[in-house]
């Protein structure tokens, strides 16, 4: 499955309305800096990119509470800054 397909599956599971799904996916990809990787198979992603995808999957659907265990482990410095801005 691709990055986009993973996010679409999570949108379905979290009952995101179909009309809002593509907007939600695009915003999530932007937030986790995976826009250029949207059509890549997840198996082709680095460990850090997989971590970003996991974070994006948790953010989809505007969850009220997300519990993260070491959300920045395995991420590069720029990504760590971005993640901390997202979760604070």
């Amino acid at each position: 499955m691709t990055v986009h397909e993973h996010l679409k599956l999570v949108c379905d599971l979290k009952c995101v309305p179909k009309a809002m799904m593509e907007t939600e996916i695009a915003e999530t990809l932007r937030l986790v800096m995976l826009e250029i990787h949207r059509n890549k198979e997840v198996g082709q992603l680095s460990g850090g990119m997989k971590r970003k995808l996991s974070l994006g999957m948790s953010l989809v659907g505007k969850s009220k509470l997300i519990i993260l265990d070491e959300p920045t482990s395995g991420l590069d410095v720029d990504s760590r800054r971005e993640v901390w801005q997202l979760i604070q």
Side-chain angles (χ1 to χ4, degrees):
M1 287 177 63
T2 66
V3 170
H4 182 268
E5 290 169 339
H6 271 77
L7 292 174
K8 187 172 181 181
L9 175 64
V10 173
C11 283
D12 281 336
L13 293 172
K14 291 188 175 184
C15 300
V16 173
K18 298 278 185 202
M20 305 224 15
M21 197 175 291
E22 286 304 318
T23 304
E24 183 80 16
I25 291 170
E27 178 65 15
T28 302
L29 288 170
R30 186 189 67 73
L31 285 172
V32 297
M33 299 177 294
L34 287 176
E35 293 168 299
I36 62 172
H37 303 289
R38 75 180 293 129
N39 295 316
K40 275 191 182 176
E41 295 286 327
V42 173
Q44 297 174 336
L45 299 177
S46 69
M49 287 185 206
K50 288 178 183 175
R51 180 68 107 178
K52 288 180 186 182
L53 177 58
S54 294
L55 178 62
M57 291 167 66
S58 68
L59 294 172
V60 164
K62 308 290 188 266
S63 300
K64 292 180 181 185
L65 176 67
I66 301 171
I67 298 172
L68 304 170
D69 180 28
E70 298 186 37
T72 61
S73 67
L75 296 179
D76 59 88
V77 176
D78 290 333
S79 296
R80 284 181 188 199
R81 256 187 237 117
E82 292 290 327
V83 168
W84 279 114
Q85 288 176 355
L86 283 173
I87 61 177
Q88 291 181 352

